[in-house]
Amino acid sequence: MIHIGQCIRRQVEEQGKTSVWLARELGCHRTNLYKIYEKSSIDTSVLLRISRILHFDFFQLYSNEVCSQ
């Protein structure tokens, strides 16, 4: 099972970005971003925004999981 919050946090770290940077890009407070990191699922519109900001297709993670079953 995918824990999308952890995947987002990992991608931010791999890109050398900070949580402060991503929160600013999303237009939210850092504490709200930390709440996203804790979630195992999030709204698709939020995930789309994060995917665009980080230039990473988080939806592909779910596609891969569906195809591997």
Side-chain angles (χ1 to χ4, degrees):
M1 187 63 147
I2 295 171
H3 189 290
I4 196 63
Q6 291 176 355
C7 295
I8 293 167
R9 180 191 294 254
R10 189 176 319 113
Q11 188 59 221
V12 169
E13 291 171 357
E14 286 178 10
Q15 290 188 20
K17 310 279 189 199
T18 65
S19 295
V20 172
W21 174 85
L22 182 54
R24 186 173 43 247
E25 292 295 310
L26 284 170
C28 71
H29 195 273
R30 178 179 66 197
T31 56
N32 291 335
L33 182 59
Y34 292 139
K35 289 177 185 176
I36 290 173
Y37 289 161
E38 294 173 7
K39 293 184 177 193
S40 60
S41 65
I42 63 173
D43 185 80
T44 55
S45 63
V46 174
L47 188 58
L48 179 59
R49 288 180 59 212
I50 293 171
S51 293
R52 286 179 174 159
I53 291 167
L54 292 174
H55 305 287
F56 183 86
D57 185 1
F58 289 98
F59 294 96
Q60 187 67 42
L61 300 174
Y62 289 104
S63 295
N64 291 342
E65 177 133 331
V66 169
C67 293
S68 68
Q69 291 182 358

